[in-house]
Amino acid sequence: DATAALAFLRKVLGVDAGKIALVGHSFGGSLTLLLAEREPALRSLVVFSAAGYSWDRSPGLRARLLAALGHIQAPVFFIHAANDYSLHPGQAMDQRLAQLGKPHRLKIYPPIGSTPEDGHAFPLIGVKIWEPDVFEFLDSSMRK
């Protein structure tokens, strides 16, 4: 479905097919990375809490996402709140992209709310906090 949506978007009048970014959250963040692995023309990725709930429980998912990073061309911005279920996915993927010499950024924001559920919901309840950083990242990566 995501591949079909991307193909459709590239045909929409007024859309510059060479300047498409993807944003994903949680499982959608993991899917964003997997789609980007197959789509070298993407210009930028913003990933909130990718695999935040699953990373520590699923060695297969960890291995798959780390492998995908080797094929991703676009700069990636990983975002977590400090009280997300786990910070390990962002930290590990940040480290892997550094090893590969690929453009990336990791930002762990202060806790929001009081539970891991609140931290995982950061993209929804913390828009005013992350919004300036995301737009700065997109502006920078989309101009290249």
Side-chain angles (χ1 to χ4, degrees):
D1 290 345
T3 302
L6 191 53
F8 171 80
L9 181 62
R10 288 181 169 137
K11 294 177 186 175
V12 172
L13 186 64
V15 171
D16 183 341
K19 290 188 175 183
I20 296 177
L22 296 180
V23 178
H25 169 240
S26 193
F27 186 70
S30 298
L31 293 177
T32 294
L33 295 169
L34 296 175
L35 181 58
E37 175 185 33
R38 294 198 237 173
E39 295 285 344
L42 292 170
R43 291 290 289 276
S44 189
L45 308 172
V46 177
V47 182
F48 290 93
S49 306
Y53 186 77
S54 307
W55 185 268
D56 295 332
R57 296 170 176 83
S58 178
L61 177 64
R62 283 195 305 272
R64 181 66 185 93
L65 292 176
L66 289 169
L69 297 176
H71 304 282
I72 293 174
Q73 302 301 315
V76 185
F77 186 8
F78 295 107
I79 297 172
H80 288 276
N83 60 325
D84 197 348
Y85 292 114
S86 176
L87 303 179
H88 296 148
Q91 293 165 333
M93 290 189 283
D94 176 70
Q95 180 180 14
R96 180 66 182 136
L97 287 174
Q99 291 169 344
L100 294 169
K102 294 189 175 201
H104 65 285
R105 182 176 178 199
L106 168 65
K107 185 155 185 184
I108 299 172
Y109 291 84
I112 190 163
S114 58
T115 66
E117 291 83 8
D118 293 337
H120 198 67
F122 180 58
L124 307 172
I125 62 178
V127 174
K128 290 182 181 180
I129 300 167
W130 58 257
E131 183 178 44
D133 295 327
V134 167
F135 278 99
E136 180 277 323
F137 176 80
L138 289 171
D139 186 49
S140 172
S141 60
M142 298 300 280
R143 286 183 190 221
K144 294 179 181 179

